[in-house]
Amino acid sequence: MDSNSFRGQPPADDTAPLIAARERLLGPANRLFYERPVHIVRGEGAHLYDADGLQYLDAYNNVVSVGHCEPRVVDAVTRQMSTLNTHTRYLHEGIVDYSARLLATLSDGRPGSPDQVMYACTGSEANDLALRVAEMYTGATGVIVTSEAYHGNTTAVTAISPSLGGAATLGSHVRVVPPPDSYRVPAAELAARFAADVAAAADDLVAAGFGVSALVLDTIFSSDGVYATPGVLGSAVAIARSHGGVFLADEVQPGFARTGDAMWGFARHGVVPDLVTMGKPMGNGMPVAAMAGRSEVIAPFATGVPYFNTFAGNAVSMAAANAVLDVIDDDGLLDNARDIGAALRGELARVDDPRIGDVRGTGLYIGVEIVSDPQARTPDRAQARRLVNALRERRVLISVCGSEGHVLKIRPPLVFSAADVDWFCSAFVDALAQ
């Protein structure tokens, strides 16, 4: 999680006073990216502009998923803000209309799909809420996650987020399993091996007295290193349920058309989740998140605990979220993610360099594994960091993920274009040459 953080002394340029003020006022926990931090002042589409007017290619941002300052989202927010903004304890059509539309995308004709939704402000809050719902439904507390998972920053979800590292510690009720690593595990063995690991973790939780409350998965394994092989989760989900647990699909990263194959990452695996969480791209930068689920799973919590979150589901956030769905539909961004993502992966796969161990992903979520020894498939954290910073100097912004911080994480807004692919690949080849 901390692999691409700014460290050391501020660079000798005009950002130094701002960096020093930030560190003094915000403290050391709030990290900046890159060896030479970027001072961004404006955005449009997939591009950013710094204080000197220089243009950057944003190949990392999943928050403004339908593009920086997308006019239809900006207009929807402005109109609603100028009319009314209030909490969910008053009647308002916006939250009802959006909820019906959102749930329709989650079901898509699949029996047993989520049919109710509860709102939050962040993905962390949504996952925190989902853990509470799962515990009351199952009567258990044990949680299974992957070894580099990240699910948020509340106390409860920090305890199930091993990628945080540092002084953060996993809860005693948490068991970690390796992700379905398509680079190191043969394709024919991925699903069975992942299911076996989940089964062992579930048995251990039961033996320890925690039981199994939830199998919690980011369905593209984004923090683990971006593992996008479809159809590998079915047996693991069945095992979690056979132990009394629920399947919680964390769609903060793969959701909202990101994968190019489906609106939601879980759909690529042919599974129907009991609970789904979402955030970040839901409002294209507005603070809105949600937990959806089957009504029978939600019922014990919903009938036993009054839930109120002041800003969750407010009228302005609902206007933004509804506009995001409009843009995805009207501009064909699911198809764009599929086609432009395939083009980008294809170009990257053609780059002949022994440091590139693997190019993988789906849609506009791509991982490039950087290795020091292609035969042994040895992660190279230092080289990955050098490449990220070399791209930054060419005004192309990405980051890293994976167990060693050695996988280049390429995750641009869904409006990425063919011209953006050309820019990215030219800069990438040049960075490798350096």
Side-chain angles (χ1 to χ4, degrees):
M1 184 62 70
D2 204 23
S3 297
N4 187 31
S5 295
F6 165 70
R7 298 178 178 89
Q9 296 299 313
D13 58 30
D14 57 6
T15 65
L18 185 58
I19 293 171
R22 175 188 166 106
E23 291 182 343
R24 183 178 71 255
L25 297 170
L26 303 185
N30 291 272
R31 307 293 205 264
L32 287 163
F33 275 160
Y34 310 115
E35 291 172 355
R36 195 161 70 91
V38 185
H39 182 190
I40 296 299
V41 299
R42 184 169 69 87
E44 181 179 0
H47 301 145
L48 294 166
Y49 299 83
D50 70 11
D52 295 321
L54 297 174
Q55 185 181 34
Y56 291 71
L57 181 63
D58 186 354
Y60 182 70
N61 208 315
N62 190 41
V63 178
V64 287
S65 190
V66 298
H68 291 276
C69 302
E70 208 298 321
R72 284 157 289 184
V73 179
V74 172
D75 180 62
V77 168
T78 302
R79 284 188 287 109
Q80 186 59 56
M81 181 67 82
S82 65
T83 304
L84 173 72
N85 192 26
T86 188
H87 53 68
T88 57
R89 288 196 173 182
Y90 301 138
L91 287 170
H92 193 269
E93 291 86 351
I95 192 170
V96 174
D97 294 344
Y98 178 75
S99 297
R101 191 176 180 187
L102 177 68
L103 289 168
T105 71
L106 288 166
S107 66
D108 197 24
R110 291 178 286 265
S113 294
D115 59 335
Q116 290 183 346
V117 58
M118 300 172 70
Y119 290 95
C121 299
T122 67
S124 296
E125 285 186 347
N127 279 327
D128 191 292
L129 174 62
L131 291 179
R132 296 170 67 193
V133 168
E135 286 185 13
M136 289 194 69
Y137 176 71
T138 64
T141 59
V143 177
I144 302 169
V145 297
T146 50
S147 54
E148 291 297 322
Y150 175 71
H151 296 292
N153 58 25
T154 71
T155 298
V157 293
T158 293
I160 66 165
S161 297
S163 72
L164 284 171
T169 57
L170 290 182
S172 60
H173 63 297
V174 179
R175 299 294 181 271
V176 299
V177 296
D181 184 343
S182 55
Y183 181 47
R184 294 174 176 83
V185 178
E189 299 176 18
L190 271 177
R193 189 175 298 190
F194 188 65
D197 289 336
V198 169
D203 289 342
D204 192 49
L205 284 170
V206 171
F210 296 108
V212 179
S213 178
L215 171 64
V216 184
L217 300 175
D218 163 355
T219 52
I220 199 171
F221 302 95
S222 55
S223 294
D224 288 283
V226 189
Y227 298 110
T229 304
V232 300
L233 300 186
S235 296
V237 169
I239 286 167
R241 287 173 173 158
S242 72
H243 284 75
V246 299
F247 169 43
L248 165 53
D250 183 339
E251 293 285 327
V252 171
Q253 299 287 339
F256 291 100
R258 169 62 55 184
T259 69
D261 291 334
M263 186 69 166
W264 304 102
F266 64 78
R268 301 179 65 250
H269 294 279
V271 294
V272 176
D274 303 292
L275 296 168
V276 181
T277 52
M278 60 203 79
K280 288 188 178 85
M282 188 175 180
N284 210 51
M286 287 295 292
V288 57
M291 181 211 71
R294 293 189 290 113
S295 51
E296 61 266 34
V297 175
I298 297 175
F301 177 88
T303 57
V305 180
Y307 175 75
F308 180 60
N309 185 324
T310 302
F311 295 109
N314 70 77
V316 172
S317 291
M318 291 294 94
N322 202 52
V324 166
L325 293 184
D326 287 341
V327 176
I328 290 172
D329 290 343
D330 295 347
D331 292 2
L333 293 187
L334 180 65
D335 291 343
N336 191 69
R338 180 195 64 215
D339 298 340
I340 297 298
L344 179 53
R345 290 195 308 280
E347 290 297 319
L348 292 172
R350 281 188 280 274
V351 177
D352 185 15
D353 191 295
R355 290 167 290 183
I356 300 176
D358 192 29
V359 176
R360 54 182 179 259
T362 181
L364 284 169
Y365 215 135
I366 298 170
V368 178
E369 181 127 7
I370 304 301
V371 297
S372 58
D373 183 339
Q375 297 302 315
R377 304 187 178 190
T378 309
D380 193 338
R381 176 190 180 110
Q383 186 64 240
R385 181 175 169 83
R386 282 193 291 270
L387 282 168
V388 166
N389 282 285
L391 283 168
R392 177 260 176 268
E393 294 305 321
R394 289 154 179 80
R395 302 200 303 276
V396 172
L397 306 180
I398 65 167
S399 193
V400 291
C401 59
S403 60
E404 304 297 326
H406 64 290
V407 179
L408 305 183
K409 181 162 63 172
I410 305 165
R411 183 190 56 182
L414 301 181
V415 294
F416 219 59
S417 68
D420 295 329
V421 170
D422 291 342
W423 181 356
F424 185 94
C425 291
S426 294
F428 184 64
V429 170
D430 194 45
L432 283 168
Q434 180 193 25

